[in-house]
Amino acid sequence: MATLQLLNNITHKDLRVQTHYSADFGDNISSVLVFPTEFDALHKEYPVLFRRHAEHGLQAVALLGLVSGENLFLNEHYPQPPMAGSWMARYVPGLLAKGPFMIGYQQHGGNDAVIHVDMDHPRIMQATDNTGSKAVFLEKGGESDYLQQVAATLNRLNLGQDEASAFYAELDRLSLLTPINLAITLNNGDKLEIQGHETICKETFANLPADTLAALHQKGWLAHVYAIQSSLHNLSWLIDMKNALEHSRT
C-alpha cells in the first residue's frame, strides 16, 4: 500500500530517487496508459492504441511489448543494447517517468495542485545511497533539476487527463474508432496475437466533412488523430526489437 506524503523540502530534504528503468521497479509491462498531451512525443516512438475499460471507459495506451509482462524498451533485456541508457527511446511515457510522485490537492480557499510522494515506492533511496539516484532538493532547499522535470511531467499528465474524456467522447461520437487485431510471426516462427484494442478508422476519418475537420483542428484534436495514425508505423520497430531479443536468447 502506498504511503503518500505531501512533498516538502524539510521532511524530504535528503530524499533521493533511483531514476533508471528496470523490472525491479515494476517497469516490465507490455503497455502503459497515456494521455493526449503526450501524443505528439509518443507517436515518434510507440504504437498508440485504444482499449475499453469496464470501469473507466475508453483509454489510450502505448504498446511497450508484444507479450504480457515484457517491456522491449528496457535495455537490461539485451546482452548488447543498441542504445545507451536504461530505456531505449527518447521519450518515456509520463506514468513511468514520474516515478514515485503524483499530484494531489490542498483545499484552502481553492483547489491547489501539490506534489505528493509515495515513500513505499521501490525507487525511493536512502539519503546515503547516491548510486545512480538523484536528489529531489538542493542542499539549501531549492528544487533540483530532477524535481522540476517531474513537476513538468505531472503537469502534462494532469492536463492530459482533463482533455482525455472530451477528446475520447468526440472520437466515439464521430464513430472514428475501429477494432484492430494484430497477428505477428517472428523470425523464429513464433506467432503472436494482440487483441482487444482499437485505432482510428482510415475510411471514416477520410470521409469526415470539412466543417467537422475544422472543428477538430480548432480544438487541437486533429493533430491527435494524425499522431495516433502515424504511431502505428512503430509496430515494425517493436517487432524488430522482439526479434532481436529472441535472437539474443538462442
Side-chain angles (χ1 to χ4, degrees):
M1 181 179 293
T3 301
L4 297 180
Q5 296 180 2
L6 177 64
L7 185 68
N8 66 82
N9 62 2
I10 298 175
T11 306
H12 306 110
K13 62 183 178 66
D14 297 320
L15 185 66
R16 301 187 68 90
V17 176
Q18 184 60 256
T19 58
H20 79 270
Y21 297 94
S22 170
D24 293 339
F25 301 133
D27 298 327
N28 207 22
I29 54 177
S30 57
S31 67
V32 61
L33 199 66
V34 294
F35 301 94
T37 44
E38 301 183 271
F39 288 168
D40 183 57
L42 289 165
H43 87 276
K44 304 167 187 174
E45 312 274 1
Y46 313 92
V48 177
L49 301 174
F50 291 94
R51 68 186 181 195
R52 295 187 186 273
H53 190 277
E55 181 179 353
H56 302 295
L58 190 63
Q59 299 176 319
V61 296
L63 289 188
L64 307 177
L66 300 177
V67 297
S68 178
E70 183 176 80
N71 182 348
L72 294 170
F73 291 89
L74 292 180
N75 246 350
E76 65 187 14
H77 289 322
Y78 303 86
Q80 295 181 317
M83 294 178 64
S86 60
W87 188 278
M88 295 200 300
R90 292 161 295 183
Y91 179 82
V92 180
L95 283 183
L96 295 175
K98 72 179 184 62
F101 302 97
M102 61 193 68
I103 282 185
Y105 292 91
Q106 282 186 319
Q107 294 186 1
H108 48 79
N111 291 332
D112 294 331
V114 290
I115 297 179
H116 286 73
V117 58
D118 176 10
M119 296 302 294
D120 287 336
H121 197 283
R123 290 187 180 278
I124 297 294
M125 297 288 107
Q126 298 297 323
T128 55
D129 184 2
N130 59 9
T131 305
S133 65
K134 293 184 178 180
V136 176
F137 292 103
L138 302 177
E139 185 176 350
K140 295 184 178 180
E143 295 182 353
S144 66
D145 289 344
Y146 168 64
L147 180 55
Q148 291 177 7
Q149 292 170 5
V150 167
T153 296
L154 291 173
N155 183 59
R156 186 182 304 116
L157 294 175
N158 196 40
L159 294 174
Q161 286 179 304
D162 291 342
E163 183 181 6
S165 58
F167 175 53
Y168 300 164
E170 185 68 358
L171 293 180
D172 273 340
R173 189 185 73 82
L174 296 174
S175 300
L176 274 179
L177 296 177
T178 188
I180 179 172
N181 296 312
L182 304 174
I184 300 165
T185 301
L186 301 179
N187 290 344
N188 63 5
D190 287 353
K191 297 183 182 300
L192 306 175
E193 290 188 0
I194 299 177
Q195 300 179 333
H197 295 86
E198 300 177 36
T199 189
I200 301 294
C201 178
K202 292 181 179 180
E203 292 76 13
T204 304
F205 179 62
N207 290 318
L208 288 178
D211 59 340
T212 299
L213 292 173
L216 289 172
H217 175 69
Q218 186 176 21
K219 294 179 179 179
W221 294 346
L222 191 58
H224 293 343
V225 173
Y226 287 136
I228 294 162
Q229 289 180 313
S230 173
S231 77
L232 296 184
H233 295 295
N234 294 313
L235 281 168
S236 61
W237 167 232
L238 213 57
I239 294 169
D240 288 344
M241 294 166 73
K242 178 63 173 173
N243 280 323
L245 178 61
E246 293 303 319
H247 178 73
S248 71
R249 290 171 171 170
T250 60

